Amino acid sequence: ASLVCFPFKKERIDVVLKNVRIAAKHSRVSVVLLVAAGKNETYEGIAKEIPAIEQANGKKIILKVQERVGSLRPGKGDGMNSALKIFHDYRPKLQRLHFYDADIESFSPLWISKAEDSADLEYDLVRHYFPRSSTDAQITWQVTRVGFSLLWPHKNIAHIQQPLGGELLMSRRAVKVFLDSPEVMERSDWGIDTMYTFAAVKSGLSINEIYVPQGKLHALYGGLRDLKTMLIECFDAVQTIKKEIIDTNSVHHVQAGEAVPVEVREKIGYDIEKSLELLRENWTTEQETLLKLFPDRIASGLMSARNFPKWGFMDEAAWVNAYRVLLDNFDKDNEDWCELLFKLWVSRVIHYTMRHVLRGYDAALSELNAMVRNVQLSSGKKV
Ligand code: GDX
């Protein structure tokens, strides 16, 4: 028996309810759990509809406000970790826990069935992965995939397709591993996805990544500024575990991808014009001082972007150099460091967009894959 959880904050009520009905109807699902960030309009709107959905499907639907589990900003991590605890204590015992973002417009019963099929083959962790627009997923590519490849080039973790994905199935065994991991339970913010991925690999859980060809259609980001908090928390998560040793190489299978649908190939993931402005904003003298820790080309490049949008200095090699400096020095409690990390990442994303996305979808994706492979090769070679 399985539990499907949708963590939510502020979302379109009709979209969330549609997803809840899909889960409640599924034959493998016995409980649906909605974990709210707080009691807001979305919460109230959902609460009203629950009795009818329970009655129509004969399934238990639980709506709860998340607990304070971790110690960082209370966010999606507290939501997901609260769900782990509810799942673990639920009686009669449940076997599998699924997570899906509540705002997905393309959710279907197939997402649940595919994950269940894979869990039937006894994988501990099943992760959904999707075709993504070439300008989407720039925290995944530039921060998490580069970071994992730099730190553990010989391990499976460097090869996880979408290590930040919020759609996944955990076996009871996986849930137990996460509940017993202090790093996971403390991660109350956006860093939670990084920690689940890391803890799964470190503890040797078997992982299957399953491909969902329709892609994940959800609300578009505005400028890259919308992603600043997520960027900082995802980078901080990598920095926290940078000294960890992974001494397992567990089973990791990836289902082959398929042709990418036109809607995904042609979608623009963020507002480019709005994002160009970001390189000029919020400068302080402290940021100028911190920039001196970086190689000259990066420091002078970013300084010149204060006057006119510039990005040519932040190619792949420069980003990897900047990443190393950040891993050694970044301090998430210092706002100037946060703003500097953000500007460096913005210049990287704009460089990639202008140099590679312009050449078309296939060229852009092959560049991202080449970047990750190059980082693995250069940091993994024995000298
Ligand atoms: N309970 C709870 N508490 N839910 C939250 C909170 C919170 O503080 N913050 C967000 N959520 C919910 C939200 O309502 C939605 O259902 C889901 O979490 C994802 O949030 P959203 O703002 O839609 O995130 P976004 O930008 O779509 O990122 C998601 O996809 C990324 C990815 O796959 O690349 C999110 O699951 C990321 O963690 C993931 O890395």
Side-chain angles (χ1 to χ4, degrees):
S2 296
L3 181 152
V4 168
C5 174
F6 297 100
F8 72 94
K9 191 169 185 178
K10 191 165 169 276
E11 301 295 349
R12 270 181 51 191
I13 296 168
D14 59 329
V15 174
V16 182
L17 287 173
K18 178 171 164 259
N19 294 339
V20 172
R21 288 191 185 97
I22 290 172
K25 216 177 255 166
H26 199 285
S27 62
R28 306 291 292 266
V29 176
S30 39
V31 184
V32 179
L33 170 63
L34 287 137
V35 180
K39 280 198 178 168
N40 57 13
E41 227 174 280
T42 317
Y43 178 98
E44 301 300 345
I46 290 170
K48 275 195 286 201
E49 301 298 324
I50 286 184
I53 305 178
E54 277 192 319
Q55 209 173 24
N57 299 282
K59 304 277 174 74
K60 178 89 185 146
I61 318 265
I62 305 170
L63 171 63
K64 281 224 163 127
V65 173
Q66 70 193 36
E67 256 184 69
R68 185 67 175 128
V69 182
S71 58
L72 304 165
R73 183 187 64 82
K76 182 171 168 252
D78 269 352
M80 295 180 83
N81 284 335
S82 297
L84 256 54
K85 294 171 101 184
I86 294 168
F87 169 86
H88 183 260
D89 297 340
Y90 194 85
R91 294 293 175 271
K93 268 193 187 173
L94 299 161
Q95 294 313 313
R96 294 167 186 169
L97 167 60
H98 295 239
F99 281 105
Y100 301 101
D101 285 356
D103 63 333
I104 302 171
E105 288 165 32
S106 50
F107 187 63
S108 84
L110 218 79
W111 295 34
I112 300 175
S113 307
K114 265 200 154 179
E116 287 283 331
D117 287 348
S118 194
D120 287 347
L121 294 173
E122 300 187 352
Y123 290 98
D124 299 311
L125 189 72
V126 183
R127 308 183 55 93
H128 299 68
Y129 83 100
F130 309 89
R132 308 281 299 249
S133 141
S134 54
T135 40
D136 201 3
Q138 290 304 305
I139 299 179
T140 295
W141 282 109
Q142 310 292 349
V143 175
T144 316
R145 294 220 53 189
V146 166
F148 286 174
S149 297
L150 207 54
L151 294 168
W152 302 286
H154 303 291
K155 300 294 172 181
N156 288 340
I157 196 164
H159 299 276
I160 306 265
Q161 301 289 309
Q162 287 167 8
L164 298 184
E167 290 68 35
L168 65 171
L169 175 155
M170 302 173 183
S171 64
R172 257 194 102 75
R173 177 161 176 243
V175 170
K176 185 80 176 49
V177 163
F178 298 145
L179 284 170
D180 289 344
S181 157
E183 287 134 350
V184 170
M185 298 317 281
E186 112 127 1
R187 204 76 222 186
S188 50
D189 59 9
W190 287 118
I192 189 62
D193 305 296
T194 308
M195 286 308 175
Y196 285 151
T197 302
F198 170 74
V201 174
K202 180 160 167 102
S203 58
L205 296 178
S206 57
I207 303 175
N208 192 15
E209 294 192 83
I210 55 174
Y211 187 74
V212 182
Q214 299 82 3
K216 176 167 143 182
L217 300 178
H218 61 124
L220 252 198
Y221 301 119
L224 294 174
R225 171 94 45 212
D226 290 3
L227 292 175
K228 186 176 170 189
T229 307
M230 197 184 268
L231 167 77
I232 289 162
E233 294 177 354
C234 289
F235 183 81
D236 175 57
V238 175
Q239 195 190 30
T240 314
I241 51 178
K242 69 179 181 185
K243 295 218 170 95
E244 295 268 352
I245 293 165
I246 298 179
D247 51 16
T248 56
N249 232 345
S250 52
V251 170
H252 171 216
H253 293 153
V254 184
Q255 263 182 20
E258 292 169 27
V260 177
V262 173
E263 314 84 87
V264 177
R265 292 172 72 91
E266 294 187 354
K267 193 176 115 178
I268 303 281
Y270 71 95
D271 183 328
I272 297 171
E273 188 179 8
K274 254 197 201 164
S275 301
L276 286 176
E277 291 280 325
L278 300 173
L279 296 174
R280 307 168 61 167
E281 292 174 0
N282 301 341
W283 277 96
T284 60
T285 44
E286 170 72 2
Q287 288 169 42
E288 289 171 21
T289 311
L290 295 176
L291 253 186
K292 295 192 180 121
L293 292 166
F294 292 83
D296 270 359
R297 188 163 159 255
I298 297 174
S300 58
L302 198 60
M303 285 295 281
S304 66
R306 293 172 64 155
N307 306 319
F308 189 78
K310 293 223 177 243
W311 53 79
F313 59 93
M314 194 52 97
D315 58 15
E316 173 193 312
W319 174 243
V320 175
N321 287 333
Y323 201 113
R324 289 182 194 274
V325 177
L326 287 162
L327 273 180
D328 287 343
N329 298 283
F330 176 74
D331 172 8
K332 78 161 178 10
D333 298 320
N334 174 332
E335 182 42 41
D336 285 309
W337 260 124
C338 293
E339 184 61 24
L340 200 56
L341 163 65
F342 178 63
K343 288 199 185 86
L344 290 162
W345 173 75
V346 168
S347 68
R348 174 67 198 135
V349 175
I350 294 175
H351 179 283
Y352 154 74
T353 305
M354 299 305 194
R355 184 70 63 86
H356 302 292
V357 175
L358 277 186
R359 299 189 291 123
Y361 186 83
D362 298 324
L365 265 285
S366 103
E367 169 62 24
L368 291 171
N369 280 302
M371 171 177 72
V372 166
R373 213 168 37 243
N374 288 340
V375 175
Q376 287 165 13
L377 285 175
S378 61
S379 88
K381 249 188 230 157
K382 299 254 185 301
V383 270

